[in-house]
Amino acid sequence: MYLLTRLSCQNSPTVITLLTRHFSTATATTTGSTLHERYTFKPPPSLSPSRENPNDSATKPNKKKPKPKYRPPSSLDPTDRNPVRSNLPFDFRFSYTESSPVVRPIGLREPKYSPFGPGRVDRPWTGVCAPAVNPRVETLEGDEDPLLEEKRKQKREWIQGDPLNSAERTALVLQCGKTKTKRHINIGRDGLTHNMLNDIHNHWKFAEAVRIHCMGVPTVDMKNVCTQLEDKTFGKVISKHGGTIILYRGRNYNPKKRPVIPLMLWKPHEPVYPRLIKSTIDGLNVQETKEMRKRGLAVPALTKLAKNGYYAYLVPMVRDAFLFCELVRIDCQGLERSDYKKIGCKLRDLVPCIPVTFEKEQIVVWRGKDYKPSEDSGCFTED
């Protein structure tokens, strides 16, 4: 006490601050304890319910069960469920535009593992396709049942209903324009694949027509692309401009009754086909074949193909060039080797002609000894 009196007499700011804190703390403690004793009370049970019954639904928050996260299909999934059954009247192939059931392979590059996964589809995999009929297939021949084509035609006619008039067609084409919607499907070097059928039906849930962009190898034969689209989806091509196709679903199409399309989980290996370039060309000996290949590489290039370009003009150009020259060279620098091999194979069937060589990223074709100009232009007309 004597020390506090001596410090207070000095009128120091530090001393005044210490004394103020000491008395304010003591007063607050005394006042707070008094108020707590005077005004404290025990709340009634209605305001603070007891948690003695944890199973009481009234006390539990109403939380929904969380939705499971999306998990893509896998070949490691258990196979105890029933396989998917699809009533589509055609054989399942990886690509419908880049493969033909007429050409028979001479071997397989892998065992007959189904790309749909083990036990997921009720159709066996032959190494080339999953046929719609004859489930006990033991050969590599992909010949379809002749009745399947008739079934597809009847089903497509029923889904399409009455044909569109010019006003309805114009409205659908404008609705699918680039300025109206960004929804579209791209078709690349693999052509029209099996999983794209499912994508097309997904687009048809929101619109009556879908825009499809074709690029690269499939554009050599646009007529085949349009035919396969109509045949496998039961739709109708209402417009085609360059590599852009507008595919209409039909008047009687019901999205809730869309066909069951099992998805392929991986891309199967292509089977082994006969060699496209033979050691000797038919009708020539070894020496003449070597000289023709040298002359073909020295011929001026007819055109240069751009990567992922539009090649529908290629077949009529080669036919016109054969009127003046027996050898035609096409420059394919920058393209994948598999791409210009497929282009050469398409030219062989469409022109027709004989492939000579694919060396140095070039396609050299020969018109043959008894060449006759084809009357069919081979070019699909634009709408």
Side-chain angles (χ1 to χ4, degrees):
M1 189 66 183
Y2 175 74
L3 180 60
L4 291 175
T5 305
R6 288 289 303 272
L7 291 173
S8 61
C9 293
Q10 296 179 3
N11 295 328
S12 176
T14 305
V15 174
I16 295 173
T17 304
L18 291 174
L19 292 175
T20 304
R21 289 181 180 176
H22 172 74
F23 287 115
S24 62
T25 305
T27 307
T29 304
T30 306
T31 306
S33 59
T34 305
L35 293 176
H36 179 73
E37 293 176 357
R38 182 178 297 180
Y39 295 103
T40 186
F41 68 97
K42 187 177 181 181
S46 60
L47 296 180
S48 60
S50 61
R51 298 184 180 179
E52 297 178 358
N53 297 328
N55 297 327
D56 190 4
S57 60
T59 61
K60 283 188 174 182
N62 187 14
K63 291 184 178 180
K64 292 185 179 179
K65 189 176 180 180
K67 192 174 181 180
K69 295 182 179 180
Y70 172 74
R71 184 169 173 264
S74 172
S75 60
L76 301 179
D77 293 343
T79 58
D80 53 351
R81 57 186 178 183
N82 295 329
V84 177
R85 179 174 180 80
S86 178
N87 58 354
L88 290 174
F90 55 84
D91 299 346
F92 291 162
R93 293 175 173 270
F94 173 74
S95 178
Y96 297 104
T97 58
E98 305 308 305
S99 62
S100 175
V102 179
V103 182
R104 180 183 177 183
I106 59 176
L108 298 176
R109 301 181 188 273
E110 64 176 0
K112 298 178 183 179
Y113 295 133
S114 174
F116 299 98
R120 297 178 63 89
V121 184
D122 63 341
R123 299 186 183 187
W125 182 256
T126 65
V128 179
C129 66
V133 295
N134 189 16
R136 302 182 68 179
V137 178
E138 297 180 358
T139 64
L140 298 177
E141 295 178 345
D143 299 337
E144 290 186 345
D145 186 1
L147 298 178
L148 293 179
E149 185 176 357
E150 185 66 24
K151 291 180 182 178
R152 293 198 298 269
K153 184 178 179 181
Q154 293 177 0
K155 187 173 182 178
R156 181 171 171 270
E157 289 178 354
W158 180 85
I159 292 176
Q160 288 300 313
D162 298 333
L164 297 173
N165 54 40
S166 59
E168 292 174 334
R169 179 182 296 218
T170 303
L172 286 173
V173 172
L174 293 177
Q175 183 181 357
C176 296
K178 294 182 179 179
T179 58
K180 296 293 183 180
T181 179
K182 294 183 179 179
R183 292 179 175 270
H184 68 278
I185 296 175
N186 292 327
I187 293 182
R189 63 162 56 95
D190 291 330
L192 177 63
T193 60
H194 178 77
N195 289 356
M196 284 184 184
L197 303 181
N198 186 64
D199 297 338
I200 292 174
H201 285 281
N202 289 339
H203 281 264
W204 279 346
K205 288 195 297 186
F206 306 101
E208 296 184 61
V210 59
R211 185 173 77 246
I212 301 174
H213 292 291
C214 301
M215 301 173 291
V217 179
T219 60
V220 176
D221 190 5
M222 288 298 296
K223 186 175 181 180
N224 180 43
V225 174
C226 296
T227 302
Q228 293 297 331
L229 281 171
E230 292 181 346
D231 187 49
K232 300 302 185 292
T233 63
F234 310 113
K236 174 70 176 178
V237 175
I238 60 176
S239 175
K240 177 189 169 296
H241 180 73
T244 303
I245 298 173
I246 306 298
L247 188 65
Y248 173 58
R249 67 183 185 182
R251 293 186 184 273
N252 300 328
Y253 180 82
N254 187 0
K256 296 182 179 179
K257 296 182 179 180
R258 54 180 286 181
V260 179
I261 303 176
L263 299 180
M264 288 190 178
L265 303 183
W266 63 82
K267 178 181 178 179
H269 287 281
E270 293 185 1
V272 181
Y273 289 99
R275 292 192 59 173
L276 189 59
I277 302 293
K278 298 181 180 179
S279 56
T280 57
I281 301 175
D282 295 340
L284 302 177
N285 55 33
V286 178
Q287 188 64 26
E288 292 176 342
T289 301
K290 290 181 179 180
E291 293 179 357
M292 181 170 291
R293 286 172 181 166
K294 289 181 180 180
R295 287 193 294 116
L297 293 174
V299 171
L302 178 65
T303 184
K304 187 180 187 307
L305 301 183
K307 189 174 183 180
N308 295 330
Y310 179 68
Y311 310 144
Y313 58 86
L314 199 57
V315 173
M317 281 185 67
V318 173
R319 286 177 177 171
D320 293 341
F322 277 158
L323 298 176
F324 306 97
C325 183
E326 63 175 358
L327 288 172
V328 171
R329 179 172 68 90
I330 302 171
D331 190 358
C332 302
Q333 290 185 0
L335 272 67
E336 298 287 341
R337 183 172 178 82
S338 60
D339 289 355
Y340 56 78
K341 275 191 171 183
K342 291 179 181 178
I343 294 174
C345 183
K346 289 177 179 289
L347 292 176
R348 180 195 62 181
D349 300 333
L350 297 175
V351 173
C353 58
I354 301 173
V356 176
T357 183
F358 292 130
E359 295 178 0
K360 299 180 181 180
E361 298 184 348
Q362 308 291 319
I363 298 177
V364 179
V365 291
W366 179 45
R367 67 183 182 184
K369 292 184 177 180
D370 302 327
Y371 176 75
K372 294 181 180 180
S374 176
E375 297 179 357
D376 184 14
S377 62
C379 186
F380 188 59
T381 57
E382 308 283 344
D383 288 347

